[in-house]
Amino acid sequence: MKAARLHKYNEPLRIEQVPDPVITDSSDVIVKIGGAGVCHTDLHLIEGVWAETLGTELPYIIGHENAGWVHAVGSAVTNFKVGDPVIVHPVMSCGKCLNCRAGEDMHCPNLKFPGLTVDGGYAEYLKTSERALIPLPNDVNPADVAPFADAGITAYRAVRRAAPLAKPGTKVLMIGMGGLGHIGVQVMRELGNSDIIAFDRNKDRLNMALDLGAVHAVEANDRAVSQVLSLTAEQGADIIIDFVGTDQTHAESLQMLRKGGTYFVVGYGGTVKVPSLNLINNEISIVGSLVGNYNDLYQLMELHARGKVILHSAKYALDEANDILKLLHDGKINGRAVLVP
Ligand SMILES: [Zn+2]
Ligand SMILES: [Zn+2]
């Protein structure tokens, strides 16, 4: 099959012919890829940011936002048959450990993460497990929903955890209105009761956020922190959800967070620095949020089926993978890019 593989860090992916994945475990499923979303994590993987943490052997196929059709099933697979349209939860979790039994697939000590630790979806076929699959309605094109499998689920989980705090009269600041943020705004509109303040460098993205449910838009520049403070009666936001996660967004978030507020960190790469005196004096909470569990993706797909969450995406050929990654790196992708093999 055709696939885009990472051979060397900080070099373009190689588009090449590789062997098709094969069923090796009775619960395995081979999915024919309909579309694979292009994510900032893919850039980080190519840059080698994850190299030490994951230790994945090169070359391998990246791509962890996948949807398509069931192509082959292992002998123990009972809930899916060849041809079924599916969206793929990003990890293969074991289903037997305590964390899996608690429903937290991402905490499974036995997990495989296609696109990070094993071959992913920048390809014609992907191997995953039955446990990771969520059926799609027959009238949904998998390529149109693939980014929900990571960008969507990650935004959903953070907002789902923040929503009980988002009471009427509170303000939630959402930083970064790209692939995750534009989904996060809609989910917050559906699950919470806060006034949503969208924060981004890009005016088009801010306008999109206003259309999707934000009540204020703040352009990220030198005056942004004071603008947010004036929108919150100089108190700061009750909740901040940071989809960017640079040193700058971390530092600014701590200046824009109300006493007793909660700061959800979703984007990553920077370092959160906070003196313990400020932590206790302001009684703030700092919460990390990682992807999402099976139920998070299931619930998000229900919201999508009801027309409550729309996805801004554009499709490109798998052969264009390196060009699209470059556009994403340069901040030139609005919404989400999806590679179609
Ligand atoms: Zn991702
Ligand atoms: Zn497990």
Side-chain angles (χ1 to χ4, degrees):
M1 66 171 180
K2 188 193 281 185
R5 286 206 296 182
L6 176 63
H7 279 257
K8 223 173 159 207
Y9 296 118
N10 295 304
E11 279 190 9
L13 303 174
R14 281 193 218 159
I15 317 288
E16 57 194 351
Q17 288 294 321
V18 301
D20 290 358
V22 291
I23 304 259
T24 48
D25 187 284
S26 59
S27 62
D28 285 347
V29 174
I30 308 291
V31 172
K32 179 176 162 57
I33 292 290
V38 180
C39 176
H40 271 101
T41 289
D42 297 328
L43 294 173
H44 294 319
L45 288 165
I46 294 167
E47 290 157 4
V49 171
W50 283 93
E52 216 173 291
T53 306
L54 299 178
T56 310
E57 218 176 289
L58 304 186
Y60 77 103
I61 305 166
I62 65 168
H64 56 273
E65 298 190 354
N66 304 308
W69 299 270
V70 172
H71 176 71
V73 297
S75 59
V77 173
T78 52
N79 287 340
F80 294 89
K81 59 180 192 319
V82 172
D84 286 349
V86 289
I87 186 162
V88 183
H89 184 277
V91 301
M92 301 163 76
S93 53
C94 77
K96 296 168 190 165
C97 72
L98 273 181
N99 295 339
C100 281
R101 288 171 194 272
E104 293 302 350
D105 308 279
M106 295 306 303
H107 300 170
C108 174
N110 309 312
L111 71 75
K112 290 184 196 156
F113 201 150
L116 279 84
T117 66
V118 294
D119 282 335
Y122 282 19
E124 290 177 271
Y125 300 98
L126 166 84
K127 177 155 85 173
T128 184
S129 59
E130 178 181 27
R131 195 178 147 77
L133 300 181
I134 292 175
L136 290 173
N138 277 318
D139 59 344
V140 170
N141 177 358
D144 291 336
V145 296
F148 282 128
D150 180 54
I153 190 179
T154 303
Y156 185 87
R157 179 179 179 83
V159 173
R160 193 256 297 160
R161 295 170 77 193
L165 306 169
K167 300 186 177 83
T170 59
K171 310 268 189 215
V172 56
L173 176 71
M174 302 180 95
I175 300 176
M177 287 297 118
L180 277 77
H182 88 282
I183 299 169
V185 165
Q186 300 174 74
V187 176
M188 182 52 88
R189 185 194 68 212
E190 294 303 316
L191 302 188
N193 281 288
S194 261
D195 292 335
I196 301 169
I197 305 170
F199 193 98
D200 198 288
R201 270 186 286 197
N202 180 301
K203 277 197 182 133
D204 292 338
R205 285 187 206 148
L206 288 173
N207 286 331
M208 178 168 70
L210 290 170
D211 287 342
L212 295 175
V215 292
H216 301 288
V218 173
E219 207 178 321
N221 57 30
D222 298 350
R223 300 182 307 282
V225 171
S226 61
Q227 249 181 292
V228 170
L229 290 175
S230 80
L231 285 171
T232 57
E234 304 302 326
Q235 301 298 300
D238 301 84
I239 303 161
I240 298 179
I241 304 180
D242 183 354
F243 294 112
V244 178
T246 59
D247 284 340
Q248 187 178 353
T249 64
H250 293 322
E252 289 180 351
S253 291
L254 293 165
Q255 294 170 44
M256 297 187 286
L257 189 62
R258 189 188 182 105
K259 270 185 187 272
T262 307
Y263 176 35
F264 289 87
V265 180
V266 184
Y268 62 90
T271 302
V272 180
K273 285 188 199 142
V274 53
S276 48
L277 173 64
N278 294 0
L279 197 63
I280 62 118
N281 191 39
N282 296 320
E283 277 206 327
I284 55 173
S285 305
I286 300 173
V287 181
S289 194
L290 175 68
V291 192
N293 61 33
Y294 185 92
N295 289 304
D296 288 324
L297 184 55
Y298 174 81
Q299 290 163 15
L300 175 61
M301 297 315 292
E302 286 292 307
L303 279 182
H304 175 258
R306 289 185 211 161
K308 302 289 190 188
V309 177
I310 57 167
L311 181 68
H312 283 268
S313 66
K315 299 190 222 26
Y316 303 90
L318 176 59
D319 297 292
E320 295 177 84
N322 288 308
D323 300 333
I324 302 306
L325 285 160
K326 173 84 168 64
L327 288 175
L328 180 67
H329 178 268
D330 296 342
K332 290 185 178 144
I333 300 277
N334 281 344
R336 206 68 161 176
V338 177
L339 298 176
V340 177

